[in-house]
Amino acid sequence: MSRILLLQGNQAVVEGAIAAGVKFFGGYPITPSTEIAEQLADRLPKVGGKFMQMEDEIAGLGAVIGASMAGCKVMDATSGPGFSLKQEMLGMACSAEIPLVLVNVQRVGPSTGQPTSPSQGDVMQTRWGTHGDHWLIVLSPASVPETFDITLRAYELSEKYRCPVIILMDEIVGHMREKIVLPDDYSKIPQAQRKGPSKKPEDWKAYATDASLVPEFAPYGTGYRWHITGLVHDETGFPKGTPAATIAAQDRLRDKLMKHLDDIVTVENYKMEDAEFAVVAYGGASRSVYEAVDMARKEGLKVGFFRPITIWPFADKQVKALAGKVKGILVHELNDGQYVLEVERAVAGKVPVHFYGKYDNESATPEQVLAAIKKAMA
Amino acid sequence: MSEALINKYFRPGRLPHIWCPGCGNGIITGAIVKAIDKQGLAKDDVAIISGIGCSSRASGYLDFNTANTLHGRALPIASGLKMGNPKLHVIVVTGDGDASAIGGNHLIHAARRNIDLTVVMYNNSIYGMTGGQYSPMTPHGAKATTAPYGNVERAFDIPELVKASGATFVGRGTTFHTLQLIDLIAQGIAHKGFSFIEVVSACPISFGRQNKMGGPAKMLEWQRDHGVMKAAWDKMTAEQRAGKFPIGVLYEDNNTQEYTEAYDELIKRAQGGK
């Protein structure tokens, strides 16, 4: 049986978290993500889970890392300034391979910016926010129903690949209310599971891997007494900083994701079958693009919409294929031009890449996107 | 420390440690191990979570569930771990810079929650790993590489700070009074709630040399001569106390509910129980 509900995107995150089996939330309230914390404070204890409002955003992600070390599925949610504060913890989770899901409901920045206005100005920060080379997964929903699905997907990926997954929302998707159909009974939803130890403690190495390149995880307190560190470490988990050990560690952290792109990267193609021109957009900016493409089609323009759902790792293969199919591309973002740089890199001059950026604290209307399409096609 | 204790509680192949000759860190780490042994805890049930700094390297040497986390951030990670598995005895190993400067906010809030963690703060009055910069525990007037004209700032009275923040067990020991130190840490572990033990230690290299303390043995003597047992301290006049500090159990409250227990009750209420 299912329920038909009218929910905000932020509420859909909460439903997805409960359905995924989240047992711990640590965070700090910040607009426009606060509803996620408020509702998990209510919902988690009912399913035996725990909610901790920490003293700052850094501590929020720290507590989440700690609870994940105990084997819990965990969530943190934040926005703009809070996302900046969490970067060091995020790097530790990448290095120590701690599964966690962090929601960033983007607002206008930099600094305090516009707390209640939409922006997509953090898209590069989700990739390069913490210091050093690192790899993680970023997913961006464009609707309330998709937010629920993506939250479940975030746990599948985070637990499977033992890396942080960021759900990159924006104020539009976070606060928008939309119809969503949810199952009555979440217990039938498959639960993502971390791969546990296959050997006895005395034979087990914390960061040894098989062909998957993903190490096994033993929750703290289960007889496997291992060591976590943000220092460069070898397969034993203890610090080792030789050039060879550093390369081995970095290459594995990269390859455990980059060798599984077919599993990780998803995109949506909307009216792309016969398209001669493509719009590329993601998240909340997509809302006006669907309608603009429909309007263009009515005018006889063969326009399609290519929407990355996995934002990072970048959909390199798919964008390269797109460049071989259409005569031109328009990237639309609610910022002054971030993801467009990555699209240009992948397209590599094969077809013209145009940009329509909106960074005036409002989303574009379908008419504005249509005008940008026509200008780019002219 | 006996070879039996080393073999039982230290990870094979991880020693020797990185600490300088004369450093107090070995004495404190030994005291933690002896306190755990005294309490008879199973190694699988103990977690040692540290931040960053000389003292925080201790976690890697010890054969428990361990983590050498981020500078100042051991407490939030330890808090989440304790919430995730309340059966674990979680001991936080931290230094004076780690706990009282960059981690100061986490320290007062963990104390306020009265979450069942045992914090052992190795206080060598200096940032040792980075080579001798002043910390919030460096005495006023002392020299540091970033205080070449003497430290213009004043040091925290860290037990008073942690007590005022809500900790329910507060103690102070030294690396000279080792038997008392083992006992203090053991009591901290046994205490149900947030326990904090400051350990006055010596960094002969980065603090002692700059401040002409006379080497490791002299620095231990300094601890002997300036640390005063709490019972004696209570009878001293302000004049007699000048320049000295009390050691022992400084504060204990066994009537305040511990955080994870309070949260378990919250869960029962949320689920419609009494």
Side-chain angles (χ1 to χ4, degrees), chain B residues 105 110 213:
Chain B
N105 197 34
M213 297 290 285

Side-chain angles (χ1 to χ4, degrees), chain B residues 86-98:
Chain B
K87 281 183 238 134
L88 283 171
H89 295 271
V90 182
I91 299 168
V92 174
V93 166
T94 180
D96 46 303
D98 199 53

